[in-house]
Amino acid sequence: MLHPLIEEIQRTKRTQLADGSEVAANSFIPRDECELIYEVIAQSGATRGVETGMAYGISSLCIADALRKNSATSRLVSIDPSQTDGWHGAAIHLLLRAGFTPEVIEEPSQLALPRLVREGQRFDFGFIDGWHTFDHTLIDFFYIDMLLENGGFIVLDDVGYPAINAAVRFILANRDYELVKALTYEIRAPMAVRRAIKRMLRPLARTDRDPSPQHELLFRRVERAHAIAIRKRGADTRRFDHYERF
């Protein structure tokens, strides 16, 4: 069951700012992704979360509310360099309205996350919805992985973006994470047919540069995903020159 303020914003597509004014909430995660966050946090018993990207705060409130259901002393660290200047503090105000004390770092995640690592901080849950390029997504994952306990979960948003999908494929092929759940969107019939034909023809043109068949089957599960949940199975024990095609 989602927090009532989340239900309200999902229904009205509007949110309140600190000065009492209302604005159109035109950027937030959909309901099924909210439910995914609640589901994996409940499943893992997580009490400590970290996220990159806040926007209007729907994901932030989902995470904070789900963590609090596990512990009254739960903690969420949110990183968003544009929360005040770009989003007018909407997410911060939403968390305050819901009775939370926001812990917000307003600087780029590639600077904030390494500092959390140096401080020895630990988390059970991570949410990645920051800058949507391949390198930024992978950097967010790299440092959140260093902060994450074994058995912890990460949810990645906007997996349909080619850059983020590529980062997800790299993670699944090269890091010790399992795909727990993928939320998919419907595609038009002509596109589905084209993708089916490409899959049929791919073995005929396979080279040693293609991903392994095992990984290709895994990649199909995220091909039409808009969000995924992955679970950390263990510490990074790769050789210094490890590489799997993705």
Side-chain angles (χ1 to χ4, degrees):
M1 192 171 183
L2 306 186
H3 191 282
L5 285 174
I6 298 172
E7 297 278 14
E8 177 186 318
I9 297 171
Q10 294 263 352
R11 184 181 70 256
T12 64
K13 306 295 190 293
R14 299 188 67 79
T15 192
Q16 185 186 99
L17 301 182
D19 62 5
S21 63
E22 282 195 354
V23 295
N26 52 18
S27 178
F28 56 82
I29 62 174
R31 184 182 185 88
D32 62 346
E33 194 168 339
C34 291
E35 293 170 347
L36 176 64
I37 289 171
Y38 276 88
E39 178 185 333
V40 298
I41 289 177
Q43 177 182 338
S44 64
T47 61
R48 302 163 296 173
V50 59
E51 66 169 339
T52 58
M54 296 179 76
Y56 290 108
I58 295 295
S59 60
S60 306
L61 183 50
C62 286
I63 298 166
D65 190 41
L67 292 172
R68 186 164 63 181
K69 292 180 188 298
N70 289 337
S71 171
T73 59
S74 61
R75 178 189 182 211
L76 170 62
V77 176
S78 304
I79 301 169
D80 188 341
S82 304
Q83 178 54 208
T84 298
D85 295 337
W87 300 101
H88 310 292
I92 294 173
H93 184 59
L94 181 62
L95 288 170
L96 289 170
R97 289 174 67 198
F100 293 95
T101 303
E103 187 174 348
V104 180
I105 302 174
E106 294 197 58
E107 64 181 22
S109 58
Q110 68 268 24
L111 302 179
L113 287 168
R115 186 170 67 252
L116 297 180
V117 172
R118 288 195 300 272
E119 292 171 354
Q121 303 213 31
R122 304 297 293 170
F123 297 91
D124 317 296
F125 176 84
F127 183 73
I128 297 176
D129 189 19
W131 200 251
H132 283 23
T133 61
F134 176 84
D135 50 345
H136 278 83
T137 303
L138 198 56
I139 287 170
D140 282 356
F141 165 80
F142 182 85
Y143 284 111
I144 288 178
D145 167 74
M146 294 181 72
L147 294 163
L148 198 67
E149 301 283 6
N150 291 343
F153 287 80
I154 298 176
V155 171
L156 291 100
D157 182 41
D158 287 328
V159 176
Y161 280 60
I164 298 177
N165 199 275
V168 165
R169 296 197 305 271
F170 171 84
I171 293 165
L172 293 175
N174 287 274
R175 301 301 301 269
D176 194 11
Y177 277 76
E178 65 175 330
L179 177 62
V180 175
K181 194 168 188 177
L183 303 179
T184 58
Y185 57 87
E186 295 298 322
I187 61 173
R188 295 187 299 273
M191 184 180 294
V193 171
R194 288 198 298 271
R195 288 183 174 177
I197 292 172
K198 284 177 65 176
R199 282 196 292 268
M200 291 172 60
L201 295 176
R202 191 172 296 153
L204 301 178
R206 177 173 293 280
T207 72
D208 59 3
R209 295 185 178 183
D210 292 320
S212 69
Q214 174 188 356
H215 286 146
E216 282 197 345
L217 287 173
L218 190 57
F219 297 162
R220 285 185 199 173
R221 293 182 59 191
V222 302
E223 185 178 48
R224 295 189 295 111
H226 67 82
I228 66 165
I230 55 178
R231 189 181 72 88
K232 182 176 181 177
R233 289 186 290 212
D236 186 7
T237 58
R238 295 172 296 167
R239 281 172 46 98
F240 79 98
D241 59 349
H242 174 94
Y243 176 72
E244 289 285 345
R245 298 176 297 278
F246 63 97

